[in-house]
């Protein structure tokens, strides 16, 4: 199995995760490789979940300040 790069964005992680799922769904992956791909998929899923939780906290903070909404620039907030 080729090593995948660390995702730099949520979208990149989702794209890698979709690729892993597609390969596993094909069903012709050798067992050892399938286990590695499953572990990679779980790591990508965890990364996506953590990113979503971070954005949710940011949204809660923005919505709670003075009861008004503000523009949310995720890339500026995360330094991406």
């Amino acid at each position: 199995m080729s090593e995948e790069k660390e995702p730099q964005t949520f979208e990149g992680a989702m794209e890698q995760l979709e690729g892993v799922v597609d390969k596993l769904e094909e069903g012709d992956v050798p067992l050892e490789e399938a286990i590695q791909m499953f572990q990679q998929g779980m790591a990508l899923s965890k990364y996506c979940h953590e990113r979503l939780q971070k954005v949710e906290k940011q949204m809660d903070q923005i919505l709670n300040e003075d009861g008004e909404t503000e523009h949310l620039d995720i890339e500026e907030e995360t330094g991406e």
Side-chain angles (χ1 to χ4, degrees):
M1 183 176 103
S2 65
E3 287 292 322
E4 298 286 336
K5 296 188 301 184
E6 281 288 317
Q8 299 298 312
T9 63
F10 176 82
E11 290 79 10
M14 284 298 296
E15 187 174 316
Q16 286 182 24
L17 182 57
E18 289 171 0
V20 168
V21 171
D22 288 345
K23 287 179 186 175
L24 288 174
E25 285 182 342
E26 290 174 4
D28 59 352
V29 180
L31 180 60
E32 294 299 322
E33 186 175 340
I35 290 170
Q36 289 178 347
M37 292 177 72
F38 179 79
Q39 290 173 330
Q40 179 188 12
M42 292 301 294
L44 290 166
S45 176
K46 180 180 176 189
Y47 173 85
C48 289
H49 180 74
E50 289 172 352
R51 294 296 297 234
L52 288 173
Q53 284 185 319
K54 184 175 181 178
V55 170
E56 184 179 1
K57 287 179 184 175
Q58 289 175 324
M59 291 297 294
D60 285 344
Q61 184 178 12
I62 290 170
L63 293 173
N64 289 333
E65 291 178 0
D66 300 327
E68 297 180 14
T69 59
E70 295 179 12
H71 174 70
L72 174 63
D73 188 354
I74 295 172
E75 291 182 7
E76 183 178 317
E77 295 288 325
T78 61
E80 294 180 5

